[in-house]
Amino acid sequence: MLPFIRKDLAQLTAYTPHPGSASGESVASKSAIDRLDTNECPYDLPAELKQKLAWNYQQLIETNRYPDGGHAALKEAIAQYVNESIAESIHVPPFAKGGLHVPPLSKGGLHVPPLSKEGLHVPPLSKEGLHVPPLSKGGLGGVLPPKTAITADNISVGNGSDELIRSLLIATCLGSVGSILVANPTFSMYGIIAQTLGIPVVSVPRKPDTFEMDIEEAKRAILSEGCANAQTENPPVRVVFVVHPNSPTANALTTNEIEWLSTLPEDILVVIDEAYFEFSQNTLAGKLQEHPNWIILRTFSKAFRLASMRVGYAIANPELTAALEKIRLPYNLPAFSQLAAEFALAQRQLLLAVIPETISERAKLIAALTQHQQLQIWPSAANFVYLRMKAENRNLAEQQHKQIMGQLKAEGTLIRHTGGGLRITVGSPQENQRTCDRLSQILT
């Protein structure tokens, strides 16, 4: 190892990207590859929208000029969408013990109006970009927003949520002043990014039956100033990371968890990752005014189908977003990514119209997997399903998980082995059927 590189980096492993193989090499398969390992939307942008986006790129973007470094137009559009999502989430009934109740689709499937011969009607952009009514002028259906409404000042935009996570850690814990708390299994990047910055990670368990965070363990970890045991010398916990719903286990935060987060002192930052909000329709954004130490992260990579554009955003107290603006790199989001995100928000009704299909397919996938007695399946509030093999011990189960993942990969289905189980993204109906058929062959 080169002598000028930090020695602790030798203990880290680089993140393995798509397509889900051990070293990132291409996957050999007899059939088409079903990429069900990264929780992406199975559908690309409609061709008509891609054409409009390409036209606007040609007409509006000067590639020799830097992009909008303040993301002004995009922040306004995001603020409007967040306010809408808060209003809609208020009317969503709480989760039952069996998960979300989703009415079945008709035999004819989703009703989506056919395209006209000319394709989708998408109004061309003006020179100033997409026209999104500002909140102050009645962006919420012509009604002046309340004083508690989210505005552009509450928004910070990142090159994916990963950049925002990194900026938050720099703002709170860098310099040996703080540790982070996570409840595993959860999104691995919290710990990975913290470790790359030399920030200690305190891990607490989840309840094995529901994957709810072990709150008592979390309380003890915080009270011991971040020390998981008496042998460690970690600085105090300054950031708590939770996912709503969690990845890879797909469970939403419970009332008990939310109440506990509400009791945390204001010198601890609570990061609530809502990457899968569009599938759960359950957000805590409406509580931000009550908790200035809360921040919500969201992304355009999942339901909005812009994974290749790398656009994430944070919703928080203006003082916190102002701090993030100081830390992020200048011109961190390319002009085309900003344009694509604005475009997706302007066409959100069209793009999010596939969510009922995803939720219906999720229910079908869970029902099919439940037929196999060897599998333990959990309810899902996201666009993926989590399962484990029933085995005498965990080591045996992990061996079986690796075998199943390898066998599915050989047949053309990529899934994720993580957190002591298997995570399967809900794909298209055809992809889900192939997954069920292939898994049945493996298990029988």
Side-chain angles (χ1 to χ4, degrees):
M1 188 171 181
L2 295 172
F4 48 79
I5 296 176
R6 282 169 34 207
K7 290 182 173 54
D8 60 308
L9 292 184
Q11 309 302 317
L12 303 182
T13 303
Y15 182 80
T16 303
H18 202 60
S21 55
S23 61
E25 77 273 10
S26 59
V27 179
S29 173
K30 299 176 288 188
S31 57
I33 303 299
D34 294 336
R35 297 182 171 184
L36 306 182
D37 60 333
T38 48
N39 298 343
E40 301 151 324
C41 178
Y43 304 113
D44 198 353
L45 291 180
E48 293 81 1
L49 289 189
K50 292 183 96 172
Q51 291 170 5
K52 292 285 187 180
L53 190 56
W55 182 89
N56 283 290
Y57 173 74
Q58 292 176 325
Q59 298 297 318
L60 298 179
I61 294 179
E62 299 174 279
T63 55
N64 61 315
R65 304 297 182 190
Y66 287 112
D68 174 8
H71 320 121
L74 180 54
K75 286 180 179 179
E76 288 284 355
I78 290 172
Q80 178 178 327
Y81 172 63
V82 171
N83 281 297
E84 289 177 1
S85 71
I86 292 172
E88 292 172 4
S89 178
I90 291 172
H91 303 291
V92 176
F95 293 109
K97 291 184 178 179
L100 268 175
H101 171 68
V102 181
L105 296 178
S106 64
K107 292 183 179 180
L110 278 171
H111 174 66
V112 179
L115 299 178
S116 64
K117 292 182 180 179
E118 294 76 20
L120 286 167
H121 173 65
V122 181
L125 299 183
S126 65
K127 290 182 179 180
E128 291 75 26
L130 276 169
H131 174 64
V132 179
L135 291 177
S136 59
K137 294 184 179 179
L140 295 172
V143 179
L144 289 176
K147 292 181 180 180
T148 56
I150 298 299
T151 71
D153 290 338
N154 296 104
I155 306 297
S156 185
V157 182
N159 195 293
S161 295
D162 294 334
E163 184 192 15
L164 292 164
I165 294 167
R166 190 171 186 272
S167 294
L168 285 169
L169 292 177
I170 292 172
T172 56
C173 296
L174 202 62
S176 301
V177 299
S179 303
I180 72 167
L181 180 84
V182 297
N184 282 316
T186 195
F187 183 44
S188 62
M189 289 307 296
Y190 308 134
I192 291 172
I193 295 173
Q195 289 175 305
T196 64
L197 296 171
I199 296 170
V201 180
V202 178
S203 176
V204 297
R206 292 178 179 270
K207 297 179 180 178
D209 52 342
T210 63
F211 293 116
E212 181 179 353
M213 176 189 294
D214 190 325
I215 295 175
E216 294 306 314
E217 284 290 332
K219 288 178 180 178
R220 281 192 285 271
I222 291 175
L223 287 175
S224 61
E225 293 189 333
C227 299
N229 56 65
Q231 308 304 315
T232 61
E233 297 180 356
N234 293 334
V237 169
R238 297 191 68 168
V239 184
V240 173
F241 282 95
V242 295
V243 198
H244 182 51
N246 187 49
S247 177
T249 55
N251 55 301
L253 288 171
T254 63
T255 300
N256 287 340
E257 289 172 306
I258 295 170
E259 288 178 353
W260 174 69
L261 295 174
S262 300
T263 66
L264 290 175
E266 290 193 359
D267 58 355
I268 294 179
L269 175 66
V270 177
V271 182
I272 304 165
D273 193 335
E274 291 187 351
Y276 305 98
F277 157 72
E278 283 79 13
F279 303 100
S280 71
Q281 287 297 301
N282 192 329
T283 181
L284 295 178
K287 294 181 176 291
L288 288 176
Q289 297 289 342
E290 306 167 27
H291 303 288
N293 62 323
W294 285 16
I295 184 170
I296 289 176
L297 303 181
R298 289 191 189 169
T299 181
F300 284 85
S301 295
K302 310 301 181 183
F304 278 104
R305 318 186 199 182
L306 296 181
S308 68
M309 300 297 176
R310 306 302 297 131
V311 185
Y313 62 96
I315 319 161
N317 183 289
E319 287 187 36
L320 181 50
T321 57
L324 293 177
E325 292 298 298
K326 296 176 182 179
I327 292 168
R328 69 171 175 82
L329 296 175
Y331 309 112
N332 61 323
L333 199 61
F336 191 59
S337 294
Q338 293 187 50
L339 179 66
E342 292 177 48
F343 203 81
L345 286 171
Q347 299 298 322
R348 55 188 174 275
Q349 289 185 333
L350 172 67
L351 297 182
L352 301 182
V354 299
I355 287 180
E357 179 191 90
T358 299
I359 294 175
S360 176
E361 285 295 311
R362 181 183 70 195
K364 294 177 185 176
L365 184 59
I366 290 175
L369 295 174
T370 303
Q371 301 302 311
H372 300 286
Q373 298 300 314
Q374 311 100 305
L375 300 178
Q376 183 177 7
I377 319 293
W378 279 270
S380 172
N383 66 329
F384 53 88
V385 175
Y386 189 70
L387 59 93
R388 287 176 177 172
M389 288 291 292
K390 298 176 182 177
E392 296 178 359
N393 59 72
R394 186 162 183 172
N395 288 336
L396 176 59
E398 283 292 77
Q399 291 178 10
Q400 294 173 328
H401 294 152
K402 292 177 182 178
Q403 291 174 354
I404 290 172
M405 188 180 74
Q407 290 173 292
L408 284 175
K409 175 181 169 182
E411 293 297 320
T413 295
L414 301 180
I415 65 173
R416 182 73 73 181
H417 174 216
T418 179
L422 298 173
R423 190 191 70 195
I424 305 176
T425 305
V426 179
S428 67
Q430 296 78 15
E431 290 172 330
N432 298 330
Q433 187 62 57
R434 286 192 291 266
T435 299
C436 291
D437 293 343
R438 291 164 180 170
L439 196 54
S440 292
Q441 291 176 359
I442 293 170
L443 296 175
T444 56

